[in-house]
Amino acid sequence: MKSLNRLFRPKSIAVVGGGAWCKLVIEQCQKMGFDGQIWPVHPKAEELAGLQAYKDVASLPEAPDATFVGVNRYATIEVVRALSARGAGGAVCFASGFLEAQAEDAEGADLQAQLLEAAGEMPFLGPNCYGFINYLDGALLWPDQHGGKRVEKGVALITQSSNIAINLTMQTRGLPIAYVVAAGNQAQSGIAAIGEALLEDDRVTALGLHIEGFGDLRAFEALAAKARALGKPIIALKVGKSAEAQAATISHTASLAGGDAGAAALLSRLGIPRLDDLPSFLETLKLLHVTGRLPSNRLASISCSGGEASLAADTGHDLPVVFPPMNETQQTDLRTALGPMVALANPLDYHTYIWRDGPAMTRAFSAMMDPSLAITLLIVDFPRGDRCSLSDWDCAIEAAIGSRAATGANVAMVATLPELLPEEVAEQLMASGVVPFCGLSEALAACAAASAPQPTPEDPLLLPTPMVEPSLIPEAEAKLRLSDYGLRVPKSIRAKSPGAARAAAADIGYPVVLKGEGVAHKTEAGAVALNLNSGGAVSEAASQMPAERFLVEEMVTGAVAELLIGVVKDPAHGFVLTLAAGGTLTEILEDSTSLLIPASEAAIDAALDRLKISRLLAGYRGQPAADRAAILQAVQAVQDYVQADAIGLEEIEINPLLCTPTGAVAADALMRRKDILR
């Protein structure tokens, strides 16, 4: 596929079709001051929106850079074919009824295939796509209202929802938007490829993605690499967290890693912070537009109210941000600026002694802005302009802009209530390099996202393999396969009867563990018995188990903690590696974290530290620490097996991995796969 640059930054635009949709595309380009050529195309009309119309693509003066194709799905294919043959730069395919309609119309998938063939190397957006708005150049291939205006630079937005795209343009938060793109069906041009093209524009400062599904994982890896190379941050709003989106599965691992975990792991791996709502998404883009990524999560907050100071501290409590204590320089300078009546702390309540004194407020704000801080938040809620006067708040605007100019520090003005920061004030602050935050919660979420550590680039993802109908591999066989890659397992013997189990126990030596084979959840099914110290105990336990075959193992003692190591194949994101509290506490503690394979040793080590039970692994209250190197080796052994034998594999679960001061032993192993002859 050729570059998307001609499509997104056109010098000439063709609009194919009649009716209100196509007329609106032309009128919006004219209204926005597009200075290139606009050519309506209609087989019968003489003119459209006051411009001369051409009967077909072949009649155009030259190949258009960008074309809005606003005809039915059948005609769309032929128009795209003609554009491709003419050497056009690209198209927006507005019509629906393609692959997205295949559940209702079997013809949809075939029509989409025909559309791809017709386009050839010519790029297009859609089908079922609203198109895009280029606010930098006034080029709008967009058949509806929008709320934006021309800008010289700004952020780019890509969404899989045309309605959300429209809503984002209607924001009144002072965010300068350079591009809005609706991706539509992504039959050819996916979100990642679109993102790369937009990042290449020097006037784009950051990229925001609204994602329903990822599609081409390699393309997203390329997008992340492009963003790193250009030094431009990306953030995402990824939908799909709800329990309704998760399917029931037979294992703990699949339950922990189901639904959203793969998406979260992918975004984390790519260094793309994830926001949970549209307001926080927009506020984060605003911050990134002004400051870029923050150097740390160290914040200061200043307000003229103790209530707001407390609210700031509490709002940030559960976020990865900190309000560090003031250092000696801050205290000295603030005491000079504020006098003896103000208690100095961070967050700071500076009272109202200096309100209306712009220079004094500037000195106080500047005194707080230590170089060790990532950003200073000035909390100011403005009165509503329809019933009150805003003039008394000019001193706060003056001080915010003045302190920014005096210190060169990152500065934000925050309204605790989003609606209490007027758009004209937000734009004034933005023009002076001060971040205008609409909402305290959103501001702190933005600071957390903008200060998120950037991961070290990993090796390419292990892509998901074709889905299969797997079988449950017997535990002993699963352990044998994994042990070939370095996983330590207990000494064991398989037995076909209670008597054989008793004999096997004598050979292994007491105490032993007895397990019924062919059972996925042995504890819940009564198919596991621990710490058996005699042949009689083994026979009795075997006779009560819902199994005909057994596995007898040595009893591993001395564990300081139990872990779960699991892998599930996620057809959308790759192979998800989950680490969690293990044993019977797996679902009670809800203590898990997920990565994607392959994960580096450093990433695995950091993931272990994120678990609640990490304190047990490190040695809690004088107890010995677990053998960290052995745990890492066990995780790596599972990874090595997955990478070597991924075809046919659906799931692996080690639960528990018994972590002792001298090793890590897989006490139980579940594997679901279909062995495929090669």
Side-chain angles (χ1 to χ4, degrees), residues 420-437:
L420 296 187
L421 184 60
E423 185 176 19
E424 60 271 20
V425 174
E427 291 178 341
Q428 179 185 357
L429 293 168
M430 182 76 77
S432 300
V434 176
V435 184
F437 277 133

Side-chain angles (χ1 to χ4, degrees), residues 228 269 454-459:
R228 285 194 299 271
R269 183 188 188 94
Q454 286 296 290
T456 302
E458 300 263 19
D459 291 336

Side-chain angles (χ1 to χ4, degrees), residues 67 284 323 383 409 537 623:
T67 302
T284 303
F323 293 97
Q623 296 300 306

Side-chain angles (χ1 to χ4, degrees), residues 584-615:
T584 58
L585 298 179
T586 294
E587 287 162 347
I588 295 174
L589 291 182
E590 296 183 343
D591 183 20
S592 67
T593 185
S594 293
L595 306 166
L596 292 176
I597 292 177
S600 66
E601 182 173 300
I604 295 168
D605 204 38
L608 289 170
D609 285 337
R610 291 195 293 270
L611 295 175
K612 298 172 187 175
I613 64 164
S614 61
R615 289 180 291 177

Side-chain angles (χ1 to χ4, degrees), residues 369-461:
M369 295 170 188
D370 190 79
S372 68
L373 297 169
I375 191 168
T376 299
L377 309 178
L378 314 174
I379 300 179
V380 180
D381 283 74
F382 287 77
R384 52 186 297 166
D386 59 339
R387 299 176 185 172
C388 307
S389 171
L390 275 64
S391 61
D392 208 20
W393 272 251
D394 289 345
C395 58
I397 299 172
E398 174 189 334
I401 295 173
S403 59
R404 161 69 181 167
T407 65
N410 291 328
V411 181
M413 183 172 281
V414 184
T416 58
L417 294 177
E419 63 270 25
L420 296 187
L421 184 60
E423 185 176 19
E424 60 271 20
V425 174
E427 291 178 341
Q428 179 185 357
L429 293 168
M430 182 76 77
S432 300
V434 176
V435 184
F437 277 133
C438 299
L440 179 59
S441 297
E442 293 87 342
L444 291 173
C447 291
S451 62
Q454 286 296 290
T456 302
E458 300 263 19
D459 291 336
L461 283 167

Side-chain angles (χ1 to χ4, degrees), residues 108-128:
D110 180 61
L111 289 174
Q112 184 148 310
Q114 292 181 44
L115 180 63
L116 284 165
E117 183 273 329
E121 290 297 305
M122 185 191 73
F124 68 87
L125 303 183
N128 190 29

Side-chain angles (χ1 to χ4, degrees), residues 20 32 37 173 184 263 334 353 416 443 486 544 592 599 609 670 674:
M32 197 64 82
Q37 297 295 314
R173 297 165 176 264
L334 280 166
Y353 303 122
T416 58
Q544 296 178 2
S592 67
D609 285 337
L670 178 149
K674 180 178 181 179

Side-chain angles (χ1 to χ4, degrees), residues 277-368:
D277 56 78
L278 285 172
S280 299
F281 177 75
L282 289 173
E283 295 306 306
T284 303
L285 285 169
K286 195 187 297 180
L287 174 61
L288 293 172
H289 172 77
V290 176
T291 70
R293 290 191 179 90
L294 294 179
S296 74
N297 64 346
R298 295 167 57 85
L299 315 179
S301 168
I302 304 176
S303 63
C304 63
S305 162
E308 290 169 340
S310 299
L311 188 61
D314 283 357
T315 303
H317 184 267
D318 293 327
L319 292 170
V321 296
V322 294
F323 293 97
M326 292 182 186
N327 59 35
E328 186 174 339
T329 299
Q330 287 173 297
Q331 292 184 41
T332 300
D333 292 348
L334 280 166
R335 184 62 68 208
T336 300
L338 295 173
M341 300 294 289
V342 175
L344 301 182
N346 183 23
L348 174 66
D349 167 18
Y350 69 91
H351 297 266
T352 55
Y353 303 122
I354 58 173
W355 186 259
R356 298 187 183 89
D357 186 341
M361 293 173 71
T362 302
R363 289 193 297 271
F365 294 172
S366 298
M368 190 71 158

